[in-house]
Amino acid sequence: VNATLYRGADGASWATGAARLLVEIDVGDQTLPLAIRCRIGDVGPVHIALLDTAASWSVLPRELAQAVSAEDVGAPPLVIRSRFGRHTGSIARFPLAFVAEEGWGSDVALDARALVLDEWPGPVVLGLHGVLEVVRLALDPGAGPHDACVYFGPV
Amino acid sequence: LSELVGRLEGAEIDGVVATLGDFGIPFADEDAVWLVVAAYVGSLASTGRVYEARRLISELDALGELPPPLLAWSDALRPPRAVVASPGRAGDPGRIADWLRRNAAAHAGLWIALADGALLESDPSYAALTERLAARGLLQTASVFRVPG
């Protein structure tokens, strides 16, 4: 797969990597419409995260943030409202990478920021501020759920 | 304070100063003013108006050195920098998706680790899960997910 998308008359690269998406995954009484694989922290496993372009903030559960040594930036607590109710958390920064599939270009890495929550019953969430605002994303629904993929690149 | 922050929402800097005056906070009381402005920035960040918060911080920064309450917000709200990294090595996630569709509900509230469409480990604790994966030499090959619940 040629994962590079181009833009403009000069043919500058728009996206530099790609990966298949996980689409409409039922997990108990919830459904993840779109999930994407990413690496959180410098080392460790790949995580499956909810790709939520409608979320203002990304969310990490506290124990994951501690495990990857996410650094609290020292700002006052932030209050957000989600489908799970009202939550108070702190903003932390940590390494994050969108992982490309083998032969589908390169990963995109960033010094992400997310809200770290103590009692978060949901999955890792990748939202706008601190993550998606600096990554170009192009969604390709393909021929169906097993074929959908995402192209990504740094802004 | 919440009433004041409510009044400040959407106000430009001149409006902020005027509103502070309405609440009896003289603009000369610099520490009090910065605390209120920082609270306002926090309210913007909480309600998803981060670009507006950044613009306000940038305008205040242009007026002089930011005080500590706003420096913390300036750092917290700074956009990250994304770069192209190493060539991709991930495989097709199709079997992971199939496993999740069939089995995730039975693992609500647990961290699970999958590879090649099979469950490697599960645990309520992320630290315990990754410790066992590392002991088996599977930390780099597993895909991890916290099942909601």
Side-chain angles (χ1 to χ4, degrees):
Chain A
V1 168
N2 180 357
T4 305
L5 302 179
Y6 301 95
R7 67 169 179 164
D10 61 352
S13 62
W14 189 95
T16 51
R20 267 170 282 238
L21 288 163
L22 289 85
V23 179
E24 211 170 84
I25 306 293
D26 290 323
V27 285
D29 58 355
Q30 295 179 43
T31 301
L32 304 184
L34 287 179
I36 191 170
R37 290 172 293 168
C38 59
R39 196 172 298 279
I40 296 172
D42 289 321
V43 293
V46 165
H47 286 260
I48 298 167
L50 175 67
L51 177 63
D52 190 349
T53 57
S56 285
W57 285 98
S58 301
V59 174
L60 282 191
R62 172 77 62 188
E63 62 174 328
L64 174 56
Q66 289 172 337
V68 301
S69 300
E71 181 189 356
D72 191 309
V73 297
L78 209 59
V79 179
I80 62 162
R81 288 178 175 78
S82 78
R83 72 175 86 171
F84 300 116
R86 188 174 181 272
H87 303 272
T88 302
S90 53
I91 300 173
R93 61 178 159 232
F94 55 94
L96 181 141
F98 287 77
V99 296
E101 291 189 27
E102 191 168 2
W104 290 29
S106 297
D107 299 350
V108 168
L110 57 145
D111 57 327
R113 283 160 174 75
L115 202 56
V116 175
L117 301 179
D118 286 325
E119 302 292 335
W120 177 248
V124 173
V125 178
L126 301 185
L128 177 63
H129 297 299
V131 177
L132 302 182
E133 63 179 321
V134 294
V135 179
R136 294 192 185 105
L137 292 175
L139 303 178
D140 177 359
H146 292 282
D147 194 38
C149 64
V150 58
Y151 293 79
F152 43 77
V155 294
Chain B
L1 182 62
S2 61
E3 184 187 349
L4 174 56
V5 169
R7 287 270 302 276
L8 290 173
E9 285 198 17
E12 299 298 331
I13 290 180
D14 288 348
V16 170
V17 174
T19 306
L20 291 173
D22 292 347
F23 279 77
I25 300 173
F27 197 60
D29 185 352
E30 204 168 288
D31 289 345
V33 169
W34 288 130
L35 284 174
V36 172
V37 174
Y40 174 52
V41 169
S43 79
L44 291 176
S46 285
T47 52
R49 292 152 65 188
V50 174
Y51 291 117
E52 190 177 338
R54 285 177 184 153
R55 190 174 65 243
L56 178 58
I57 290 171
S58 173
E59 289 175 7
L60 293 170
D61 192 26
L63 297 175
E65 192 176 339
L66 287 175
L70 282 170
L71 271 179
W73 278 120
S74 175
D75 190 27
L77 301 181
R78 184 172 299 131
R81 197 171 77 87
V83 296
V84 177
S86 53
R89 296 194 305 269
D92 184 343
R95 297 179 69 191
I96 292 174
D98 290 341
W99 189 95
L100 286 171
R101 288 190 183 95
R102 287 195 307 270
N103 304 297
H107 296 76
L110 299 178
W111 289 93
I112 59 172
L114 304 167
D116 296 327
L119 181 69
L120 299 175
E121 298 281 357
S122 67
D123 201 288
S125 159
Y126 178 77
L129 180 94
T130 51
E131 197 172 303
R132 291 209 300 275
L133 289 173
R136 295 174 60 187
L138 299 171
L139 197 56
Q140 300 298 322
T141 53
S143 292
V144 170
F145 178 64
R146 186 187 181 283
V147 182

